[in-house]
Structures are given as C-alpha cells and as structure tokens.
C-alpha cells in the first residue's frame, strides 16, 4: 500500500463531499429570486451545472484512485497517476488564473484557496507515483 496515494485519495474524497454538498448550499444562498430576469436565472443555473460537473470529476478521481490503491484493476496505474496529477495541476492553474484575472478583494488568494488544494493533490499523486 502506498500511504501517500491513500492520503491523496482521502483528500479527493473529502473534496468531493465538501464541494458537492457544501458548495451547493453556498450556491443556493445566491440563487436569483423567481422574479429575477430569466437571463440571471439561466446564468445561475449554468454556473450551478458547471459547478457540479466538477463534483463528478472529483467523484471519478476518487473512484480511480481507490481502484489504483486497493485493486489491480488497471494494467498501467503509473500512467493513470501521471494523468491524474496533471489533471489536478491543470485545475490548480485554471483556478489561480481565474483569480488573477478577476476583480480583486482583500486576501483573494487566501480566501479562495482551492487552487492550493489542487496543487497539493497533484503533488501527492505525483510523489506517490515516484
């Protein structure tokens, strides 16, 4: 058993749970009223849908890592781990880029720390695959 990959697996699982349920609760707090223009409701609904596409990404990454950690399901787990590490690195870069091009507020990079979480997960997977 690879402890580093198991830690990465648990971190992705917790990320999935918090993202899916906590994140959706936060999104519901900013849902436009029924009387709001359709345009705003459409944009909010598209954002919520995209948000939960990421939830499914976290779920599938959790399942993939669990299969690698606890079974011999994949013939080339090292290749898949490299892809997962790049995947989470890409998520981190995309989130950090979004913060850098968005309107700033105090401590934006600390309050919106998800970019760092993605880099940590990518690093753990890469390290565990070494």
């Amino acid at each position: 058993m690879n402890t580093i990959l198991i830690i990465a697996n648990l971190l992705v699982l917790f990320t999935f749970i918090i993202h899916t349920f906590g994140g959706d609760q936060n999104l519901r707090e900013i849902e436009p009223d029924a009387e709001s223009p359709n345009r705003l409701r459409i944009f909010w609904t598209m954002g919520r849908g995209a948000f939960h596409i990421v939830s499914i990404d976290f779920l599938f990454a959790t399942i993939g890592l669990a299969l690698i950690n606890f079974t011999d399901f994949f013939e080339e787990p090292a290749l898949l781990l490299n892809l997962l590490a790049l995947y989470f690195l890409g998520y981190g870069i995309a989130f950090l880029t979004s913060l850098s091009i968005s309107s700033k507020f105090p401590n934006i990079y600390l309050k919106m720390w998800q970019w760092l979480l993605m880099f940590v997960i990518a690093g753990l997977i890469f390290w565990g695959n070494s």
Side-chain angles (χ1 to χ4, degrees):
M1 290 187 128
N2 186 323
T3 305
I4 297 167
L5 289 177
I6 292 172
I7 292 168
N9 203 162
L10 289 171
L11 193 53
V12 177
L13 173 63
F14 292 140
T15 300
F16 162 72
I17 292 167
I18 292 166
H19 188 270
T20 301
F21 301 105
D24 193 70
Q25 183 178 1
N26 291 338
L27 283 171
R28 282 185 271 132
E29 290 176 11
I30 62 167
E31 182 176 5
D33 296 331
E35 306 84 40
S36 297
N38 262 354
R39 181 174 177 264
L40 294 180
R41 298 210 37 88
I42 288 169
F43 286 151
W44 181 84
T45 304
M46 282 191 312
R48 188 180 193 193
F51 184 87
H52 284 298
I53 287 172
V54 175
S55 295
I56 294 302
D57 286 349
F58 292 143
L59 175 63
F60 286 166
T62 299
I63 293 167
L65 281 168
L67 288 171
I68 290 168
N69 281 323
F70 304 111
T71 73
D72 293 324
F73 185 78
F74 296 112
E75 290 181 26
E76 296 285 338
L79 174 63
L80 293 172
L81 289 168
N82 283 335
L83 289 173
L84 274 174
L86 285 172
Y87 191 73
F88 282 103
L89 179 67
Y91 261 138
I93 291 169
F95 203 99
L96 193 55
T97 301
S98 294
L99 293 179
S100 69
I101 63 174
S102 296
S103 299
K104 303 295 182 279
F105 52 84
N107 299 317
I108 185 173
Y109 296 102
L110 295 176
K111 289 179 181 175
M112 305 288 292
W113 49 267
Q114 292 89 334
W115 59 275
L116 182 58
L117 174 64
M118 297 300 108
F119 289 156
V120 167
I121 292 170
L124 285 170
I125 294 170
F126 181 78
W127 183 26
N129 193 30
S130 297

